[in-house]
Amino acid sequence: MLVRREFIAIARNPSLVINPLMFLLMAVTIFAITLKPILGDMGRAAGGLIWVLVLLSSLTSLDSLFRKDYDNGTLEQLLLGEVNPFFLVLMKCFTHWCSSGLVMVIVAPVIAMSLGLSQDLYGSLVLCLLVGTPAISLIGLVGAALTVALGRGGALLSLLILPIMFPVVIFGGGSIDSLVMSGEFGGGLIWLFATSMLALGVAPIATLFALRLSIEI
Amino acid sequence: MSAKTWFHQWGSPRWFFEKAKPVSTVLGLLSLVFLSLGIIWGLAFAPEDYQQGNSFRIMYVHVPSALLCQSLYLFMGIAGFIGLVWRMKLTDVAISAAIPLGMMLTAVALITGSLWGRPTWGTWWEWDGRTVSTLVLFFLYFGIYALRQAIKDSSTKANATAIIAMVGTLNIPIIKYSVDWWHTLHQPATFTITEKPAMPSEMWLPFLVMVIGFYCFAGHNVISRMRIEILRRESGSAWVRSIAMSGEKARYVF
């Protein structure tokens, strides 16, 4: 039921999905124009660029993740209610991932094409993104929960969680680079998976702590 | 003294303020001795490196500060954990004292590394494994610093810091591994605890002295900052007031 509520909220306010997507497309355009000279090289730059872009556009939607529920008191009610708050956090993460990570995964081949990544690698790129984007949502959730009560997430949120997300981008971008160069993931995919799993273990607990802190119960 | 009493006294800022003073003084004197001994030994008496000449001597500052800035972050993570689990006020004082020193040492490690890189690698800045992980460590420090600036309420500030410090600490090994995996042209780590160092003892003994000196200095610095922070936070209490009113204020602090 709660999942349904989240999806209805997204459906009624499609800007939650469209804004990050438009941000992504604009950023791709800027990269494509400014980095034109190096893009030709077998699409080596494409993998890293896509990961950076996915990370940055996920950030744009993180700030609003708990904001509305916090402002109108829903968040407090939900945490005090009978639903297991742990489940609540996981659900929030899932819906955020659906509205940002999953969308990025779907449009990734198009972006990869425009940045000149070799066509054989689209499948691997999608696989990489599928494995790695949950970590971005999970880590982002902690930052969003910590900053929701401060009223000015934005830059602070990015400052807090970007350094923690470094490994995801490094493993993700590195995997694609390794694929372009040697045709193998080079261990990157496994480590990406491990990072996501660790995030799944730690982030929901930390988020729950942070939410309790933010609403002061 | 029972374990419980021992444990409980850590919850008392006043107890810490009084007991920590001699510790801080001793550590301060030790660091003075070790650092001056190590600097003179390392800069003037240690033999030249057969490849790098005299430029390797910056190692005596670079490596200890790089070691220490990681240790301090780990310290903050552990303090955050203790603070969250046992609700100890003192841990937040410790974290607030460790942040400025940690940030400064990370910056020192980056700057000296850059200065060292110029003569040995031929470039001021190289995106190699350990440089990147130290830079990320600096970002992690800055994130905590920025968060603390943004939160007004002191208990919220303490808990939020503790959460992010713990998450960051868990993340440090992954960052290190990911960056190493990604790329490394750095010389392999010069010192390990388990293996005998590859350089002659005339070179690494002053280094060891410097490391001990750095750690003593960090202990002294963090404890002194903690004591001052305690005075600031407890400024309304009777015992702090009595110190402020007494004629010999300096005696209590230094």
Side-chain angles (χ1 to χ4, degrees):
Chain A
M1 195 195 84
L2 276 172
V3 183
R4 200 167 145 248
R5 173 182 169 269
E6 291 293 322
F7 279 114
I8 290 175
I10 293 171
R12 288 190 184 153
N13 190 6
S15 67
L16 286 175
V17 178
I18 292 171
N19 289 1
L21 202 58
M22 288 311 291
F23 176 84
L24 181 70
L25 295 180
M26 276 186 242
V28 170
T29 314
I30 292 173
F31 274 129
I33 292 168
T34 52
L35 300 180
K36 186 92 172 74
I38 60 162
L39 280 177
D41 185 20
M42 290 166 70
R44 269 192 84 182
L49 280 182
I50 289 173
W51 271 98
V52 173
L53 293 170
V54 165
L55 176 65
L56 293 181
S57 41
S58 299
L59 279 182
T60 59
S61 61
L62 270 177
D63 190 33
S64 59
L65 194 58
F66 294 113
R67 175 83 59 220
K68 218 165 205 171
D69 283 352
Y70 174 80
D71 284 343
N72 63 21
T74 317
L75 190 65
E76 200 167 348
Q77 293 307 315
L78 283 173
L79 283 176
L80 290 169
E82 49 200 21
V83 182
N84 187 344
F86 198 72
F87 170 73
L88 189 80
V89 169
L90 284 179
M91 184 230 27
K92 268 283 182 192
C93 179
F94 177 69
T95 46
H96 177 260
W97 180 75
C98 286
S99 66
S100 76
L102 190 60
V103 178
M104 309 290 168
V105 173
I106 294 168
V107 298
V110 181
I111 296 169
M113 186 187 66
S114 69
L115 293 178
L117 187 73
S118 143
Q119 283 193 5
D120 322 334
L121 300 177
Y122 288 0
S124 313
L125 174 70
V126 167
L127 183 63
C128 257
L129 285 169
L130 267 180
V131 171
T133 42
I136 295 181
S137 288
L138 281 161
I139 299 169
L141 218 62
V142 182
L146 271 176
T147 51
V148 66
L150 301 179
R152 45 164 180 157
L156 179 64
L157 177 62
S158 314
L159 278 180
L160 267 184
I161 56 175
L162 269 182
I164 300 176
M165 287 179 178
F166 264 67
V168 183
V169 188
I170 292 171
F171 286 132
S175 307
I176 307 295
D177 192 32
S178 166
L179 273 172
V180 173
M181 294 311 285
S182 64
E184 290 164 12
F185 282 112
L189 189 66
I190 297 165
W191 282 101
L192 209 53
F193 182 69
T195 313
S196 280
M197 284 298 114
L198 186 74
L200 185 63
V202 178
I205 304 171
T207 308
L208 203 54
F209 261 109
L211 281 180
R212 291 240 163 91
L213 202 67
S214 291
I215 62 170
E216 287 167 356
I217 51 169
Chain B
M1 178 170 49
S2 75
K4 202 174 171 189
T5 343
W6 181 84
F7 189 75
H8 273 274
Q9 65 198 7
W10 285 94
S12 154
R14 182 182 184 177
W15 175 84
F16 181 85
F17 181 83
E18 281 159 6
K19 294 291 172 191
K21 190 190 163 196
V23 181
S24 156
T25 314
V26 169
L27 284 175
L29 290 174
L30 279 179
S31 74
L32 209 60
V33 172
F34 277 110
L35 285 179
S36 38
L37 179 70
I39 283 281
I40 295 169
W41 193 355
L43 293 190
F45 294 106
E48 270 189 34
D49 187 84
Y50 77 100
Q51 272 183 328
Q52 301 184 8
N54 275 323
S55 71
F56 94 97
R57 292 181 202 278
I58 201 169
M59 173 194 83
Y60 293 119
V61 179
H62 172 68
V63 184
S65 51
L67 278 176
L68 201 58
C69 63
Q70 294 175 27
S71 305
L72 277 170
Y73 201 93
L74 182 68
F75 170 76
M76 293 205 302
I78 295 171
F81 178 76
I82 296 174
L84 271 187
V85 174
W86 287 290
R87 306 266 151 216
M88 215 175 258
K89 273 193 216 161
L90 210 53
T91 56
D92 187 57
V93 178
I95 290 178
S96 74
I99 292 172
L101 184 64
M103 258 170 92
M104 221 160 65
L105 284 170
T106 322
V108 167
L110 285 170
I111 292 167
T112 53
S114 157
L115 292 176
W116 195 9
R118 181 68 198 154
T120 46
W121 296 346
T123 169
W124 292 109
W125 188 263
E126 177 63 47
W127 291 104
D128 104 298
R130 273 181 282 169
T131 314
V132 175
S133 44
T134 310
L135 188 62
V136 178
L137 187 68
F138 186 77
F139 293 150
L140 282 171
Y141 270 116
F142 190 80
I144 295 191
Y145 169 77
L147 183 71
R148 288 183 75 88
Q149 293 291 311
I151 304 179
K152 288 203 182 64
D153 177 63
S154 66
S155 91
T156 315
K157 190 193 272 185
N159 289 326
T161 315
I163 292 172
I164 204 74
M166 278 165 63
V167 173
T169 306
L170 282 176
N171 207 36
I172 284 180
I174 310 174
I175 292 173
K176 282 190 90 70
Y177 181 81
S178 68
V179 172
D180 284 348
W181 174 82
W182 165 67
H183 177 218
T184 185
L185 59 78
H186 214 293
Q187 45 196 334
T190 323
F191 295 96
T192 48
I193 300 170
T194 47
E195 283 171 41
K196 206 167 175 290
M199 55 168 64
S201 57
E202 303 92 70
M203 268 181 176
W204 67 259
L205 273 177
F207 170 77
L208 197 67
V209 172
M210 282 301 281
V211 172
I212 298 172
F214 260 74
Y215 272 87
C216 289
F217 173 73
H220 165 75
N221 192 278
V222 169
I223 294 176
S224 309
R225 281 178 202 268
M226 281 175 75
R227 293 181 74 240
I228 294 169
E229 181 68 21
I230 286 174
L231 283 185
R232 189 177 300 142
R233 291 191 188 190
E234 305 281 315
S235 56
S237 67
W239 67 273
V240 174
R241 212 167 284 184
S242 75
I243 290 175
M245 292 304 174
S246 72
E248 307 163 272
K249 282 171 232 166
R251 192 170 64 85
Y252 286 93
V253 181
F254 298 109

